[in-house]
Amino acid sequence: MEKQLRKLALRATNSLKVASAASLMLFVAAASAQTSITVTNGDFELPGANEGSWANVDGWSTDTDTGGSGVETAGWWASGYPSYYAYTNSAEATIFNLTDHIIDASEEFSVTFDAVNVWQGQYFTITLFYDTGDGTRVPLGTQTYDLGTDHAGAGLWQSLELTAAAVPASAGAKLGVEFDNSGNLSGDNWNAIDNVAIVETTPLSSRDFELNKNTFKVFPNPSNGSSFKIVLNSIESSVNVKVYSVLGKVVLNKDFALSSKTIEVNQNLNSGIYIVKVNNKDSSKLIVK
């Protein structure tokens, strides 16, 4: 999970670097709040031992449990690999995990995972789905990945991602993720997965970030990223300051006790465009070089 969060942070940083002041309102309109969705046993650390049946693996199920795949922590392709992972073969067509997340029609989802071709398991399909309530899995998005054919050593794990949006029919249903070893049904095709994580993004209305320069001013602007000041029009006893990235992530949330109209905010920020919000209402743009 920590590795997935680092990847998401890197993507956000790269997005900030290409932002420009002229495109601020476009970013604001498209900004989103991100929330992690619990995927039970997404790292396959349970049951904490090698297990060859999905019936005994917490959180995960399969349509056809032949006892040919499951969870393990050793393999010639994973020399030195420190944790458990799932291994799948094509005889067991799918494995899936139904989360407790109830879908809202406005949501979008991103699932990240690691995968490797173990033996002739070149193709691997992932699907985000919703459950109709009777066990029927309806796809929201699906993609087949080519894991490559070179599996002659360790270090071949790939980090992959699928994004999908909710549809009106999915509202109120539970979200799930499904993996399918896409080889032939002989069972001679093997691949492995690990670190399954899902993030939900809810678009933020641009009204959440209405800019109002009359109540306070931010300077220097642009800032060098290490600190900036907020000058208020009036002295308040205390003020709450929130700073949002253009992706809608809160990077600072702090209360300040005041004796003057000036607030000094010491916060290391990466280059990009931010929204500074005071007392959860008035907002202003901040550019960091």
Side-chain angles (χ1 to χ4, degrees):
M1 182 63 181
E2 180 180 352
K3 179 164 56 179
Q4 305 305 321
L5 291 175
R6 286 200 301 268
K7 291 194 297 183
L8 288 172
L10 178 60
R11 293 190 184 104
T13 299
N14 290 337
S15 297
L16 290 172
K17 288 181 179 178
V18 301
S20 66
S23 59
L24 172 67
M25 293 315 298
L26 175 62
F27 272 117
V28 168
S32 57
Q34 297 183 341
T35 304
S36 294
I37 294 173
T38 299
V39 180
T40 300
N41 203 21
D43 57 5
F44 300 100
E45 293 301 300
L46 298 175
N50 290 357
E51 175 54 59
S53 172
W54 288 103
N56 299 323
V57 179
D58 288 22
W60 294 88
S61 302
T62 184
D63 292 321
T64 309
D65 193 349
T66 65
S69 66
V71 169
E72 67 175 28
T73 189
W76 59 266
W77 66 91
S79 176
Y81 198 75
S83 63
Y84 290 92
Y85 49 83
Y87 63 98
T88 69
N89 64 34
S90 55
E92 296 178 278
T94 61
I95 62 170
F96 59 93
N97 189 311
L98 184 63
T99 75
D100 288 329
H101 180 78
I102 304 301
I103 297 173
D104 183 276
S106 67
E107 294 175 328
E108 296 181 356
F109 306 99
S110 174
V111 55
T112 57
F113 64 101
D114 299 331
V116 63
N117 175 5
V118 175
W119 179 258
Q120 298 181 353
Q122 180 176 357
Y123 298 105
F124 200 65
T125 301
I126 178 177
T127 301
L128 276 168
F129 68 86
Y130 67 92
D131 189 305
T132 60
D134 60 1
T136 302
R137 305 194 297 273
V138 181
L140 291 173
T142 187
Q143 184 169 341
T144 297
Y145 299 87
D146 185 344
L147 300 179
T149 57
D150 180 12
H151 47 262
L156 301 177
W157 287 89
Q158 302 179 44
S159 296
L160 303 171
E161 181 178 13
L162 170 70
T163 59
V167 296
S170 67
K174 287 186 176 182
L175 177 73
V177 60
E178 174 184 288
F179 293 95
D180 181 6
N181 182 323
S182 306
N184 63 56
L185 298 182
S186 68
D188 293 331
N189 303 276
W190 295 86
N191 43 44
I193 60 172
D194 200 2
N195 300 320
V196 182
I198 303 177
V199 172
E200 171 266 324
T201 59
T202 302
L204 296 177
S205 167
S206 61
R207 288 175 298 180
D208 292 332
F209 293 114
E210 290 178 354
L211 302 184
N212 188 331
K213 297 182 180 180
N214 295 323
T215 57
F216 70 92
K217 180 181 179 181
V218 177
F219 81 97
N221 197 2
S223 165
N224 61 12
S226 62
S227 66
F228 62 92
K229 294 181 180 180
I230 299 173
V231 179
L232 305 172
N233 281 353
S234 60
I235 298 178
E236 306 285 346
S237 59
S238 64
V239 166
N240 174 260
V241 175
K242 290 187 177 72
V243 179
Y244 295 82
S245 73
V246 292
L247 298 179
K249 180 181 179 181
V250 178
V251 297
L252 173 70
N253 183 358
K254 186 175 181 179
D255 293 319
F256 293 85
L258 301 182
S259 58
S260 71
K261 295 182 179 181
T262 301
I263 303 170
E264 184 164 357
V265 181
N266 296 307
Q267 177 76 12
N268 289 323
L269 299 173
N270 294 320
S271 298
I273 298 175
Y274 297 83
I275 300 297
V276 179
K277 203 164 192 176
V278 172
N279 288 339
N280 210 31
K281 50 181 182 179
D282 298 324
S283 304
S284 181
K285 174 182 65 179
L286 171 66
I287 299 173
V288 176
K289 291 182 177 180

